């Protein structure tokens, strides 16, 4: 119990120094310590105190966010991050302390002991044997103590060579900083939407600005009446119209704006195929694409349509009127599928246009026939609105409306020439010689069916309404008349007709040779019928009654058995004789108003689209569904033959079923 006594003695000495009674201290030790409880502490029963409550400690950080999302470039969307960093750092201090048992600490100790041995060998000093092994009482011999650090002197390594160290300190040049602050260049943000009306407003504003500048120039020139030489110089240096300078760029920009505006139509034109054709039992439909209209040609009818053979996205439209009691002005308009909002070229005419044709090789030459009997040739390369060639009364123009014109192959002198047919009964060949049109009458039609060779007035000529030249035989052509007859004629044999067909009971509106089969042609009339003929037989091979006046008919360029016709009730009829010889595979109403009449139809040379014109000046384009341009399926292991021979054989197979068998000779 000596420890207890020492403690008591210690207490007594301390108490004596502080003047405290020792008896009071013993009383405090003798009494037990009482538990102090807060007044609001909950009192629990023994069972509740003995109940074990399990607490599970996890490594998850309760404050870590659980809804972190990151962008996934693979899936192109934001994804919730499943792995969240749960480590929380409360304190971190970078230091150079090493654990004494680590390998690096052992290497450092070995290195220090080697350095001490080398110093003792070099100086020849003996180790301190006289020093007591035990340190002073109450002082621990710790290597990191202050005394051990002060007693140890760092040994100075002497160089064995004669080495002298000399050093000098030079002044460093003071650093100087120079800076200046400039005003930032002015900036302005500009954004606008380029659409048709803003482009139009910009053009109108530019024209007004130019007119004001011209008025100012006139005012300045009026003040300088005395300086005649200066006047001439100023007139020569007038600014060129800015719009003409940027005409090509503005046209390209306008096309870009329109293609963005009608992008859905362009996508349908390029890629859309009606998948429902598979369930229609060989029937097809027409998908409406672009609608072409010109504000100044609203009251005119579409009297002619013709595609450009070289630039297949461009077509020409002739504007006039079929109401002969209300004849007036006309117009020739050129549209492109790349810009449906505004025409590419516009040529106003004094007389109504009834027909036109674009040259196949020289696509800038356009032959036009007018209601007043004139024919003209427009050159798109030349500037101006007047035609390059035009017939007059002195150069043999027709006396009645010109119903159709057609370009021919160049003659032996390489001169361009075309033919025309008119209500005066004349079929004339026009040759472009230098700056004038030279005419040559090919044939003159008469009512009795013979060529009129007698003097004028002896026979009454019949009215020619349409004609078409053979695709392979240049001199062979067909002529449709107002009486409903069709004549087969030859340019080399003009004394009489080669054949006469009693085709229709009313005027023949259109007659056209088949693109593939050399013997087949088609005709239509206002007597509601469309007829297909073999020119070696006087009777039609097929006759279709469409229950309305037929305005125009056209063969397709991709199949010998497909053709389309339009009727005045606003319906487009598409036939494929290879699929159905009795009914149309497509009958579709394409006008919104009942009074609107369709006037002309044309197939595009390469694209599966058609254009249709009406009597209100509108031209609408349609895309043919897959059933309307179906090709025969190839058998397994066999390649499908291609070329015009296949189309000829397809039409010949149909005709062979209708021709009368030749009588057998015994």
């Amino acid at each position: 119990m000596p420890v207890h006594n020492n403690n008591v003695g210690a207490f007594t000495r301390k108490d004596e120094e502080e003047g405290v009674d020792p008896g009071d201290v013993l009383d405090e030790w003798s009494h037990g310590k009482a538990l102090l409880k807060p007044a609001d502490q909950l009192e629990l029963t023994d069972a509740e105190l003995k109940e074990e409550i399990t607490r599970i400690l996890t490594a998850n950080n309760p404050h870590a966010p659980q809804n972190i999302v990151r962008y996934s470039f693979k899936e192109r969307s934001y994804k919730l991050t499943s792995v969240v960093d749960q480590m929380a750092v409360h304190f971190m201090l970078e230091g150079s302390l090493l654990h004494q048992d680590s390998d690096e600490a052992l290497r450092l100790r070995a290195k220090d002991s080697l350095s001490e041995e080398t110093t003792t060998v070099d100086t020849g000093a003996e180790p301190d044997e006289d020093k007591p092994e035990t340190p002073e009482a109450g002082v621990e011999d710790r290597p990191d103590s202050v005394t051990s650090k002060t007693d140890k002197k760092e040994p100075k390594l002497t160089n064995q060579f004669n080495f002298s160290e000399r050093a000098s300190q030079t002044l460093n040049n003071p650093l100087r900083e120079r800076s200046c602050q400039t005003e930032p260049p002015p900036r302005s943000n500009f954004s606008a939407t380029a659409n048709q009306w803003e482009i139009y407003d910009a053009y109108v504003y530019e024209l007004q600005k130019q007119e004001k500048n011209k008025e100012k120039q006139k005012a300045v020139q009026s003040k300088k009446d005395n300086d005649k030489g200066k006047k001439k110089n100023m007139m020569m240096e007038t600014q060129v119209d800015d719009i003409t300078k940027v005409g090509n760029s503005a046209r390209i920009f306008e096309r870009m704006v329109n293609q963005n505006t009608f992008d859905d139509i362009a996508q349908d034109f390029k890629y859309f195929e009606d998948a429902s054709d598979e369930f229609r039992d060989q029937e097809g439909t027409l998908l409406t694409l672009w609608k072409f209209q010109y504000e100044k040609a609203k009251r005119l009818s579409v009297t002619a349509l013709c595609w450009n053979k070289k630039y297949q996205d461009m077509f020409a439209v002739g504007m006039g009127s079929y109401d002969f009691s209300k004849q007036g002005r006309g117009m020739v308009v050129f549209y492109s599928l790349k810009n449906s909002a505004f025409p590419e070229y516009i040529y106003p005419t004094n007389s109504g246009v009834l027909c036109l044709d674009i040259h196949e090789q020289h696509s800038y030459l356009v032959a036009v026939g007018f209601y007043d009997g004139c024919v003209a040739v427009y050159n798109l390369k030349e500037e101006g609105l007047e035609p390059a060639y035009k017939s007059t009364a002195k150069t043999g123009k027709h006396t009645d409306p010109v119903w159709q014109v057609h370009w021919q192959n160049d003659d032996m002198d390489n001169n361009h020439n075309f033919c025309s047919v008119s209500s005066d009964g004349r079929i004339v060949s026009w040759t472009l010689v230098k700056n004038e049109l030279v005419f040559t009458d090919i044939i003159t039609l008469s009512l009795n069916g013979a060529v009129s060779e007698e003097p004028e007035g002896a026979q009454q000529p019949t009215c020619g309404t349409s004609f078409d030249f053979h695709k392979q035989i240049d001199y062979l052509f067909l002529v449709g008349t107002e009486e409903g007859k069709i004549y087969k004629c030859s340019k080399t044999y003009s004394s009489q007709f080669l054949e006469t067909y009693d085709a229709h009971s009313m005027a023949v509106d259109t007659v056209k040779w088949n693109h593939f089969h050399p013997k087949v042609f088609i005709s239509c009339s206002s007597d509601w019928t469309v007829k297909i003929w073999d020119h070696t037989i006087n009777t039609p091979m097929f006759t279709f009654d469409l229950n309305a006046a037929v305005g125009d008919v056209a063969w397709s360029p991709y199949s010998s058995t497909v053709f389309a016709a339009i009727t005045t009730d606003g319906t487009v009829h598409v036939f494929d004789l290879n699929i159905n010889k009795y009914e149309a595979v497509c009958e579709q109403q394409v006008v919104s108003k009942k009074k609107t009449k369709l006037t002309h139809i044309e197939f595009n040379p390469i694209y599966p689209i058609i254009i249709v014109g009406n009597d209100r000046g509108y031209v609408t384009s349609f895309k043919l569904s897959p059933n309307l341009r179906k090709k025969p399926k190839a058998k397994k292991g066999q390649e499908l033959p291609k070329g015009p021979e296949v189309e000829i054989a397809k039409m010949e197979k149909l005709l062979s079923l209708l021709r009368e068998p030749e009588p057998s000779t015994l």
Side-chain angles (χ1 to χ4, degrees):
M1 302 295 289
V3 177
H4 177 69
N5 296 333
N6 289 337
N7 289 336
V8 174
F11 277 115
T12 55
R13 281 199 302 271
K14 186 177 181 182
D15 294 335
E16 287 176 359
E17 293 174 0
E18 296 178 358
V20 181
D21 188 6
D24 297 336
V25 178
L26 292 174
D27 293 336
E28 291 179 2
W29 278 93
S30 60
H31 291 88
K33 294 183 179 179
L35 295 176
L36 298 178
K37 293 184 180 180
D40 56 348
Q41 182 173 345
L42 183 63
E43 294 182 359
L44 301 176
T45 62
D46 294 339
E48 291 176 344
L49 289 173
K50 291 179 181 180
E51 183 183 356
E52 293 184 358
I53 298 175
T54 306
R55 289 189 178 182
I56 301 173
L57 297 179
T58 62
N60 294 335
N61 184 6
H63 301 290
Q66 301 297 327
N67 55 354
I68 297 177
V69 294
R70 298 186 186 279
Y71 186 76
S72 174
F73 289 92
K74 182 179 180 181
E75 301 182 8
R76 295 186 178 180
S77 62
Y78 286 93
K79 295 293 182 181
L80 189 66
T81 303
S82 59
V83 180
V84 181
D85 188 8
Q86 303 291 343
M87 185 179 69
V89 180
H90 298 286
F91 178 76
M92 180 170 41
L93 178 65
E94 295 183 359
S96 59
L97 297 179
L98 299 175
H99 195 274
Q100 61 182 359
D101 296 334
S102 63
D103 295 338
E104 191 173 356
L106 295 175
R107 286 197 299 271
L108 288 175
R109 284 182 179 177
K111 187 176 181 181
D112 292 340
S113 62
L114 285 175
S115 61
E116 289 179 359
E117 290 177 0
T118 53
T119 53
T120 54
V121 171
D122 292 339
T123 55
E126 296 179 355
D128 297 336
E129 296 177 354
D130 299 337
K131 291 184 179 179
E133 295 181 0
T134 59
E136 295 180 0
V139 180
E140 296 179 358
D141 187 9
R142 293 166 51 188
D144 56 348
S145 63
V146 179
T147 56
S148 63
K149 290 182 180 178
T150 54
D151 293 338
K152 291 182 180 179
K153 293 183 179 180
E154 294 182 359
K156 186 177 181 181
L157 298 177
T158 58
N159 197 345
Q160 295 180 1
F161 303 95
N162 186 11
F163 174 78
S164 61
E165 182 181 356
R166 293 180 182 178
S168 62
Q169 186 175 4
T170 60
L171 293 175
N172 294 328
N173 293 327
L175 297 177
R176 295 181 180 178
E177 294 183 358
R178 291 185 179 180
S179 61
C180 61
Q181 185 175 2
T182 60
E183 294 182 0
R187 296 181 181 180
S188 62
N189 295 329
F190 174 78
S191 63
T193 303
N195 44 34
Q196 296 180 17
W197 49 88
E198 290 196 3
I199 295 173
Y200 176 80
D201 293 342
Y203 281 179
V204 172
Y205 176 78
E206 186 67 20
L207 288 173
Q208 292 175 354
K209 186 177 179 181
Q210 290 176 5
E211 290 176 358
K212 290 181 180 179
N213 291 335
K214 288 180 181 178
E215 291 176 0
K216 289 181 180 179
Q217 289 179 1
K218 289 180 181 179
V220 172
Q221 289 174 3
S222 62
K223 292 180 181 179
K224 296 181 179 180
D225 294 331
N226 297 330
D227 301 336
K228 293 182 180 180
K230 291 183 179 180
K231 271 188 177 182
K232 292 180 181 180
N233 293 332
M234 290 180 67
M235 292 294 291
M236 293 295 292
E237 294 176 359
T238 53
Q239 295 181 354
V240 184
D241 192 3
D242 293 338
I243 298 178
T244 58
K245 284 184 178 180
V246 296
N248 192 26
S249 301
R251 183 176 298 177
I252 295 173
F253 186 72
E254 185 181 12
R255 285 185 179 182
M256 293 169 61
V257 171
N258 279 283
Q259 287 185 12
N260 289 336
T261 305
F262 303 104
D263 180 65
D264 53 344
I265 299 179
Q267 296 293 332
D268 290 343
F269 161 72
K270 191 71 175 176
Y271 302 109
F272 179 77
E273 300 292 347
D274 194 353
S276 59
D277 271 17
E278 298 178 2
F279 312 100
R280 284 204 179 95
D281 192 20
Q282 298 181 344
E283 293 184 355
T285 57
L286 300 175
L287 174 67
T288 306
L289 296 177
W290 296 280
K291 293 183 180 179
F292 303 88
Q293 61 181 22
Y294 182 45
E295 194 69 25
K296 296 182 180 179
K298 272 189 174 181
R299 297 183 179 179
L300 299 176
S301 299
V302 176
T303 55
L305 290 174
C306 184
W307 284 98
N308 193 316
K309 302 298 188 298
K310 187 174 182 180
Y311 304 99
Q312 289 87 0
D313 63 303
M314 182 178 286
F315 61 92
V317 182
M319 299 285 189
S321 176
Y322 286 125
D323 188 356
F324 303 124
S325 62
K326 298 180 181 179
Q327 283 295 326
R329 64 185 179 90
M331 196 172 295
V332 179
V333 180
F334 292 82
Y335 286 105
S336 173
L337 299 180
K338 299 175 182 176
N339 182 11
S340 60
F342 199 79
E344 299 290 321
Y345 300 95
I346 303 169
Y347 293 97
T349 60
N350 296 326
S351 179
V353 177
L354 291 181
C355 57
L356 55 83
D357 190 27
I358 301 176
H359 201 286
E360 289 192 10
Q361 287 79 26
H362 308 282
S363 58
Y364 53 88
L365 294 177
V366 183
V368 182
F370 298 96
Y371 176 79
D372 60 0
C374 293
V375 293
V377 177
Y378 287 87
N379 190 342
L380 302 186
K381 288 185 176 181
E382 296 181 359
E383 296 182 357
L385 302 178
E386 295 299 322
Y389 303 89
K390 189 173 183 179
S391 64
T392 60
K394 293 182 180 180
T395 57
K397 78 163 193 171
H398 294 282
T399 57
D400 283 325
V402 180
W403 289 106
Q404 200 161 353
V405 292
H406 195 282
W407 284 102
Q408 300 292 301
N409 295 329
D410 294 350
D411 59 12
M412 298 181 67
D413 297 330
N414 293 327
N415 293 323
H416 305 314
N417 65 94
F418 65 94
C419 294
S420 63
V421 63
S422 171
S423 296
D424 59 4
R426 294 169 58 207
I427 298 175
V428 183
S429 175
W430 304 89
T431 306
L432 281 64
V433 180
K434 294 184 179 180
N435 295 326
E436 62 178 356
L437 286 174
V438 178
F439 77 98
T440 303
D441 285 352
I442 297 176
I443 199 169
T444 303
L445 309 176
S446 62
L447 286 175
N448 57 8
V451 179
S452 57
E453 295 179 348
E454 299 179 9
E456 294 184 2
Q459 291 184 357
Q460 183 179 358
T462 184
C463 300
T465 55
S466 60
F467 75 146
D468 191 29
F469 283 82
H470 199 277
K471 307 300 179 185
Q472 286 86 25
I473 307 172
D474 294 339
Y475 58 84
L476 190 64
F477 64 95
L478 299 166
V479 182
T481 62
E482 196 173 23
E483 290 76 26
K485 293 184 179 181
I486 298 176
Y487 300 122
K488 183 170 69 172
C489 309
S490 173
K491 290 195 293 185
T492 57
Y493 187 70
S494 59
S495 61
Q496 63 182 7
F497 304 133
L498 302 180
E499 192 70 57
T500 301
Y501 308 93
D502 290 328
H504 299 277
S505 58
M506 296 181 69
V508 180
D509 293 328
T510 306
V511 58
K512 288 185 179 180
W513 289 99
N514 190 284
H515 293 293
F516 299 95
H517 201 288
K519 293 183 179 180
V520 177
F521 67 90
I522 194 170
S523 65
C524 70
S525 171
S526 298
D527 62 357
W528 297 10
T529 60
V530 174
K531 297 183 180 182
I532 296 177
W533 305 77
D534 184 340
H535 78 88
T536 60
I537 303 174
N538 287 335
T539 57
M541 308 300 290
F542 295 94
T543 301
F544 302 96
D545 191 342
L546 303 185
N547 298 323
V550 184
D552 194 11
V553 68
W555 288 105
S556 74
Y558 56 84
S559 176
S560 61
T561 58
V562 176
F563 66 92
I566 55 169
T567 52
T568 54
D569 60 354
T571 306
V572 176
H573 306 260
V574 182
F575 290 82
D576 190 347
L577 303 179
N578 196 36
I579 295 176
N580 193 333
K581 298 187 289 293
Y582 307 103
E583 295 180 350
V585 293
C586 176
E587 290 184 6
Q588 187 166 326
Q589 193 88 6
V590 297
V591 294
S592 57
K593 297 181 180 180
K594 292 183 179 180
K595 294 183 179 180
T596 304
K597 297 179 181 180
L598 301 181
T599 55
H600 285 277
I601 185 172
E602 280 292 333
F603 280 86
N604 187 278
I606 59 172
Y607 301 120
I609 63 173
I610 59 173
I611 51 174
V612 178
N614 58 32
D615 60 351
R616 297 181 183 270
Y618 294 87
V619 178
T620 310
S621 58
F622 300 92
K623 184 174 183 179
L624 303 172
S625 65
N627 278 357
L628 301 181
R629 43 193 168 92
K630 186 181 293 185
K631 295 183 179 180
K633 296 181 180 179
K635 297 180 180 179
K636 292 184 178 179
Q638 295 181 356
E639 291 186 0
L640 189 66
K642 298 180 181 179
E645 295 81 7
V646 179
E647 299 298 331
I648 294 173
K650 191 165 60 172
M651 176 60 80
E652 187 66 29
K653 183 179 179 181
L654 291 172
L655 296 178
S656 63
L657 299 174
L658 301 173
R659 291 191 182 116
E660 295 181 359
E662 297 180 359
S664 60
T665 58
L666 297 175

